Amino acid sequence: MKILFAASEVAPFIKTGGLADVAGSLPQALAKEGHEVKVILPLYEGIGGEWRQQMTFLKYFNVTLAWRQVYCGVFQLEREGVTFWFVDNEYYFKRWQLYGHFDDCERYAYFSRAVIEVPGQLDWSPDVIHCNDWQTALVPIYLLEEQYRIPQLDGTRSVFTIHNIEYQGRYGDQVLQDVIGLDKSYFNEGMLAYYDDVNLMKGAIMASTYVTTVSPTYAQQLRTPFYAHGLDGTINQQAGKLEGIINGIDVDLYNPATMTGLAANFDTKTLEQGKAACKAALQQAVGLNVDPNVPIIACVSRLVGHKGFALVTDVLHQIMEQNVQMVVLGTGDWQYEEAFRHAQNQYPGRFAAQLTYSAPLSNQIYAGADMFLMPSISEPCGLSQIIAMRFGTVPIVRETGGLKDTVFPYNKFEGTGRGFTFSNINAGDMLWVIREAIDLYWNNKEAWRGLQVEGMEADFSWANSAQQYLNIYRRIVG
């Protein structure tokens, strides 16, 4: 099968969030199954010279975008069985950051047009074009418009994945003809219309052959107003073609037995010694008292409201009344950063606020902490809880989205589970399960180790998720 994967960011070339990890890992997993996979992304200024040196220039041509004829260059790079196509246009992509520009609608309409044009220009016929989030939401619509003009797209089907429905690509209706080059029928007949605005994600949901999102629970939650951010009506209308598939992780990268930069490597057989060494190193690195016995609760996240940090700050002092240490890594809203700064001053040696982002330090935290707190209000899939479990760090999560699908609650009667969970958006409920986790840590070491091993041995590779995507591709291609 021939698969074209379109994304606005792809690891390891350029990354701002979890989309890049998916776009970097899923195509490799599909290629390992013997399929011909190509990934297309913009050639941003931030893509480093070490990658540019490996690229080959293929050709250039003009892309029609509304009334414009716009230059499009294509560079190619081969990596781990996958071909990467980079769309070159310095006017749109030679910028200091990926998103947040006044003309983002035009930039990604241009990129979506390029996604449609490149297969014809390079004489390659994809069976499926897999698009991701609002930046490529116009691709399924352009495909409907252009596939009878471009022979290589005859019979091509589209899959659209919602990674986070909060960001929908919503713009005033004036962009329809002048910027993205579609006639008024797309607005008048409702495909793109949304409260007198144009909504690109709504259009992708309507136009694509199939829609996926990143966990089964999130797929169900999107049918409710609380989680769908206004698109619940569209989701329910198109629910027959919606499916949730849990994201995997790169299990070779996130492997405590081989990862570099840790104080000690470990697996399930050397768990106690390895965690002890990593814990001591973490305590020294962030300024906590070096104590092998006291449990460390960790958070690695953006410090924003939908990640549930209001719940944490509401009961922070009650948490610190327990015999625990706590480390928080991340940046975000001022009120949470300030609360954690105060906590570090109030609890010296017991609370560490690392208000920055550091990949090496995040790995140290995953390896050295005992518990990983993730009380998200909304979490489409979540990777942090999965990575934490790979490192034998027991998660404490709210039952939402992918957190509910990956963290099974501890059952003290059967001795089963992977962590501790609560369902209500309530700081008291969260505090209750934190105390349960602390109690188990202190009073039942055997059960605690069972939770650690269960998480470490769970299969979070992309192999299973890739098979689910392939099943979808086969169904829609026929």
Side-chain angles (χ1 to χ4, degrees):
M1 190 175 294
K2 296 180 179 179
I3 303 157
L4 179 59
F5 200 90
S8 60
E9 55 184 85
V10 179
F13 309 110
I14 194 84
K15 175 181 174 178
T16 67
L19 167 59
D21 292 316
V22 175
S25 300
L26 176 56
Q28 289 181 21
L30 296 170
K32 287 178 181 177
E33 295 294 320
H35 301 279
E36 187 177 348
V37 185
K38 302 186 189 296
V39 178
I40 187 167
L41 70 153
L43 183 57
Y44 297 106
E45 181 180 25
I47 294 177
E50 72 275 17
W51 299 117
R52 291 174 183 265
Q53 293 171 9
Q54 301 175 42
M55 295 179 190
T56 302
F57 175 73
L58 296 182
K59 70 180 300 184
Y60 73 91
F61 52 91
N62 284 337
V63 166
T64 301
L65 184 63
W67 48 267
R68 311 163 195 75
Q69 289 290 314
V70 189
Y71 162 84
C72 177
V74 183
F75 289 79
Q76 179 172 298
L77 185 154
E78 304 276 347
R79 184 173 186 271
E80 298 188 19
V82 178
T83 299
F84 294 89
W85 286 335
F86 296 84
V87 173
D88 174 43
N89 183 298
E90 291 192 350
Y91 174 74
Y92 289 129
F93 301 128
K94 191 175 182 180
R95 309 203 183 178
W96 68 279
Q97 63 181 18
L98 270 62
Y99 315 123
H101 301 282
F102 76 96
D103 59 346
D104 275 358
C105 181
E106 182 180 335
R107 295 171 69 225
Y108 290 104
Y110 160 79
F111 175 59
S112 296
R113 275 288 185 189
V115 171
I116 293 299
E117 295 290 344
V118 165
Q121 292 288 335
L122 299 183
D123 194 21
W124 186 72
S125 303
D127 298 302
V128 174
I129 301 179
H130 189 151
C131 314
N132 297 272
D133 271 354
W134 75 265
Q135 294 91 343
T136 55
L138 282 166
V139 172
I141 301 172
Y142 288 154
L143 179 63
L144 294 179
E145 286 264 310
E146 303 292 346
Q147 66 184 149
Y148 300 107
R149 177 180 66 83
I150 303 172
Q152 290 82 0
L153 298 181
D154 185 26
T156 299
R157 302 290 183 260
S158 61
V159 173
F160 180 72
T161 294
I162 302 168
H163 295 266
N164 191 336
I165 206 167
E166 286 189 52
Y167 307 102
Q168 300 174 0
R170 183 176 175 183
Y171 298 96
D173 64 354
Q174 67 272 14
V175 305
L176 187 65
Q177 291 177 286
D178 188 54
V179 176
I180 63 181
L182 293 172
D183 64 59
K184 288 186 178 179
S185 65
Y186 282 95
F187 193 82
N188 295 336
E189 295 174 12
M191 180 175 281
L192 287 166
Y194 182 85
Y195 295 103
D196 297 325
D197 287 339
V198 165
N199 188 310
L200 303 185
M201 184 173 281
K202 178 189 175 185
I205 294 169
M206 300 282 284
S208 59
T209 316
Y210 211 85
V211 181
T212 70
T213 190
V214 290
S215 71
T217 295
Y218 193 58
Q220 292 302 312
Q221 289 176 330
L222 291 184
R223 302 182 69 170
T224 64
F226 182 82
Y227 290 98
H229 292 269
L231 287 181
D232 50 293
T234 304
I235 293 287
N236 281 299
Q237 182 188 1
Q238 302 292 321
K241 64 178 185 182
L242 174 67
E243 186 173 330
I245 300 174
I246 283 284
N247 285 338
I249 62 169
D250 186 337
V251 293
D252 295 323
L253 174 63
Y254 295 109
N255 185 351
T258 58
M259 177 175 276
T260 59
L262 302 183
N265 293 113
F266 59 91
D267 55 21
T268 54
K269 295 179 181 177
T270 57
L271 175 59
E272 291 180 15
Q273 307 95 297
K275 288 288 281 187
C278 291
K279 184 174 189 173
L282 172 62
Q283 289 170 326
Q284 290 177 333
V286 300
L288 296 173
N289 298 328
V290 178
D291 185 335
N293 298 313
V294 65
I296 301 176
I297 301 174
C299 297
V300 177
S301 176
R302 284 180 294 124
L303 308 181
V304 293
H306 80 265
K307 293 292 187 179
F309 281 99
L311 304 183
V312 179
T313 55
D314 281 352
V315 294
L316 186 55
H317 300 297
Q318 289 95 315
I319 294 173
M320 297 309 294
E321 285 174 0
Q322 314 298 309
N323 185 12
V324 297
Q325 295 177 352
M326 194 165 181
V327 57
V328 175
L329 172 65
T331 60
D333 294 345
W334 175 86
Q335 67 267 32
Y336 304 123
E337 291 191 1
E338 197 64 15
F340 295 139
R341 281 194 193 97
H342 282 301
Q344 180 171 265
N345 293 330
Q346 189 169 359
Y347 305 104
R350 295 186 57 225
F351 191 101
Q354 302 291 310
L355 303 178
T356 181
Y357 181 73
S358 165
L361 181 56
S362 70
N363 292 333
Q364 282 186 275
I365 291 173
Y366 289 127
D370 298 289
M371 306 168 195
F372 193 86
L373 179 59
M374 204 168 172
S376 303
I377 308 303
S378 174
E379 193 67 60
C381 177
L383 296 177
S384 296
Q385 84 281 6
I386 296 175
I387 298 169
M389 286 188 280
R390 279 284 285 167
F391 286 85
T393 300
V394 176
I396 303 170
V397 305
R398 196 178 86 78
E399 295 171 4
T400 185
L403 301 180
K404 183 175 182 180
D405 294 325
T406 56
V407 181
F408 308 135
Y410 171 63
N411 184 320
K412 64 182 179 181
F413 302 107
E414 299 178 0
T416 57
R418 293 177 182 167
F420 295 84
T421 71
F422 64 103
S423 59
N424 294 325
I425 304 173
N426 183 292
D429 289 3
M430 181 190 73
L431 181 62
W432 177 273
V433 296
I434 290 174
R435 286 171 171 163
E436 281 191 323
I438 294 169
D439 178 73
L440 191 74
Y441 174 90
W442 284 113
N443 298 314
N444 194 336
K445 294 295 185 183
E446 184 179 350
W448 186 262
R449 181 178 169 82
L451 288 179
Q452 292 177 296
V453 171
E454 181 67 26
M456 292 179 73
E457 292 183 341
D459 182 7
F460 293 119
S461 70
W462 271 106
N464 183 48
S465 301
Q467 284 298 330
Q468 294 180 64
Y469 279 110
L470 285 170
N471 289 339
I472 290 172
Y473 299 159
R474 292 185 182 109
R475 286 206 303 273
I476 63 176
V477 171

